[in-house]
Amino acid sequence: MPKGILYDFIKKSWNCHELWYNERMKYPKIDLKTVRLQARQFQAENPRLFLVYLLPSILVILSGFLNPLERINESILEQSFLSVLSHVFQAYLFPLLVSFIGTILLTSSVYTTLRLIKNPDTELSVKNSLTLFNEVHFSQTFLTLLLKRFYLFLWSIPNLFGVYLLFYSSAMARKFVELHPEFPSVDVTNPDIEHFLLTFALYFFGSVLVMILGTIIYLPQYYAYSQVELLLCDTLAIGIAKPSRVLHTSRFLMKGYKFQRFVLDLQLLPWYILIWISFGIASISTFPFIYSSQIFFYQRLLEIKRKKV
């Protein structure tokens, strides 16, 4: 290799390494293993912590019996797009309300957990999950969490459109099978059947593509706002902050750390699966560990950002 080319190669390699090192120093890695160990030790030291998460756990168990899709049938295929959206919204309205109440309950539980970390003498009881429903804190809690939900809803519109297309293609397939009991032994050369299969394929594969793209768009925004509840709890402890300010601060904190927060969720995935297969019952014992892990991640994040500032 000629000397000039070798020099350019070494210089570019060094520049790449320098950029990588500067980026790593800019966003130092959080030791997720330590975070989980801290959460496990904290839970062991506070065996009554499960009481703080008892009401949210009960709500998770009860919400498992809610199936909004049961209120939707194939007859909506004959209606307009806006009418279909109206039916879907009405079907999901009550579950969304239950979910939002559950979010406030969980935020109250996190609020108590943060107080417990700062003051080990904090009393733990079931009523702790109702802390943020009082008049002093409720308005800011309600507005902040509602604004977060609204922003995430806007970012999830592509994904929701993909879900709609998937539901529509599924309803088309069920209706087709009802009209053709001999399926799959049908004459695919029939123009009507051929047209249906092409239309179904367009809707189905289009829905999959839109959902994939929608998820790619949504996930970074979801993790950008993942610290809102924790910031809200800290804010309520010292004063009042505008909901928009809390959301903006969450985005600032998570800059450079969205992937690590995603990895933490992957490491906690077995606990989420346990909650799912137990119809929510396991949440009574797993919620304290899951949310304690998120809290210790948040605290480490604050330490890093404060050093930078």
Side-chain angles (χ1 to χ4, degrees):
M1 182 182 295
K3 183 177 180 181
I5 298 176
L6 178 61
Y7 174 78
D8 290 340
F9 175 77
I10 294 173
K11 185 178 180 180
K12 289 179 181 179
S13 299
W14 173 258
N15 288 339
C16 289
H17 179 269
E18 189 175 24
L19 287 172
W20 173 83
Y21 178 78
N22 290 337
E23 192 69 18
R24 185 172 180 180
M25 293 301 294
K26 187 178 180 181
Y27 303 113
K29 190 176 180 181
I30 295 176
D31 189 349
L32 299 181
K33 184 178 180 180
T34 301
V35 166
R36 288 183 284 109
L37 287 174
Q38 284 180 300
R40 193 175 300 280
Q41 182 180 355
F42 178 73
Q43 186 181 8
E45 292 173 351
N46 299 276
R48 289 173 56 85
L49 187 60
F50 80 95
L51 292 174
V52 178
Y53 292 88
L54 188 58
L55 284 182
S57 299
I58 292 174
L59 194 62
V60 169
I61 296 170
L62 295 177
S63 64
F65 296 97
L66 298 176
N67 185 8
L69 294 178
E70 289 180 353
R71 299 178 57 187
I72 304 175
N73 52 53
E74 286 79 1
S75 62
I76 66 170
L77 290 175
E78 301 170 0
Q79 303 176 21
S80 66
F81 176 75
L82 292 178
S83 179
V84 172
L85 287 183
S86 176
H87 278 81
V88 172
F89 176 76
Q90 292 176 24
Y92 276 89
L93 186 59
F94 181 68
L96 283 173
L97 178 61
V98 172
S99 174
F100 189 72
I101 293 173
T103 301
I104 299 178
L105 288 172
L106 275 172
T107 306
S108 297
S109 302
V110 169
Y111 178 81
T112 303
T113 307
L114 278 167
R115 287 176 57 193
L116 179 63
I117 293 174
K118 297 173 183 177
N119 180 15
D121 295 328
T122 301
E123 182 183 353
L124 302 179
S125 65
V126 176
K127 65 180 182 180
N128 289 135
S129 55
L130 299 174
T131 302
L132 299 185
F133 282 90
N134 62 44
E135 295 180 4
V136 178
H137 298 316
F138 182 73
S139 59
Q140 186 179 352
T141 301
F142 179 83
L143 292 174
T144 303
L145 296 180
L146 184 64
L147 186 62
K148 174 186 174 179
R149 288 234 168 178
F150 176 68
Y151 282 176
L152 288 179
F153 167 74
L154 294 179
W155 285 107
S156 68
I157 287 177
N159 211 342
L160 292 174
F161 183 65
V163 172
Y164 164 77
L165 292 177
L166 182 63
F167 170 77
Y168 194 86
S169 64
S170 176
M172 284 178 59
R174 288 197 297 269
K175 189 172 183 179
F176 178 81
V177 172
E178 289 178 3
L179 295 175
H180 299 84
E182 71 278 11
F183 183 83
S185 300
V186 293
D187 183 13
V188 294
T189 59
N190 185 306
D192 292 335
I193 294 177
E194 184 179 3
H195 178 265
F196 165 79
L197 292 176
L198 289 174
T199 304
F200 171 77
L202 179 64
Y203 273 102
F204 178 76
F205 291 109
S207 69
V208 173
L209 179 62
V210 172
M211 283 193 294
I212 292 173
L213 293 175
T215 302
I216 293 173
I217 294 172
Y218 176 79
L219 274 181
Q221 306 307 318
Y222 171 81
Y223 283 105
Y225 294 119
S226 63
Q227 306 304 303
V228 166
E229 288 81 1
L230 293 158
L231 284 166
L232 173 64
C233 292
D234 267 347
T235 302
L236 292 173
I238 60 175
I240 298 177
K242 293 182 179 179
S244 58
R245 183 65 180 173
V246 175
L247 268 67
H248 177 75
T249 306
S250 177
R251 295 189 67 91
F252 166 75
L253 282 180
M254 290 303 293
K255 187 175 181 180
Y257 288 93
K258 299 184 190 71
F259 183 73
Q260 286 199 55
R261 182 63 171 74
F262 171 70
V263 172
L264 178 62
D265 278 350
L266 287 181
Q267 293 174 350
L268 297 173
L269 186 60
W271 303 110
Y272 289 114
I273 294 175
L274 182 61
I275 293 172
W276 178 66
I277 62 177
S278 66
F279 302 100
I281 297 174
S283 61
I284 297 173
S285 61
T286 58
F287 270 0
F289 172 69
I290 290 173
Y291 288 97
S292 294
S293 298
Q294 294 179 6
I295 289 171
F296 284 114
F297 178 91
Y298 162 74
Q299 290 188 328
R300 179 63 185 133
L301 195 58
L302 283 180
E303 291 173 7
I304 293 172
K305 295 292 182 175
R306 283 168 180 163
K307 288 178 181 178
K308 290 177 61 178
V309 174

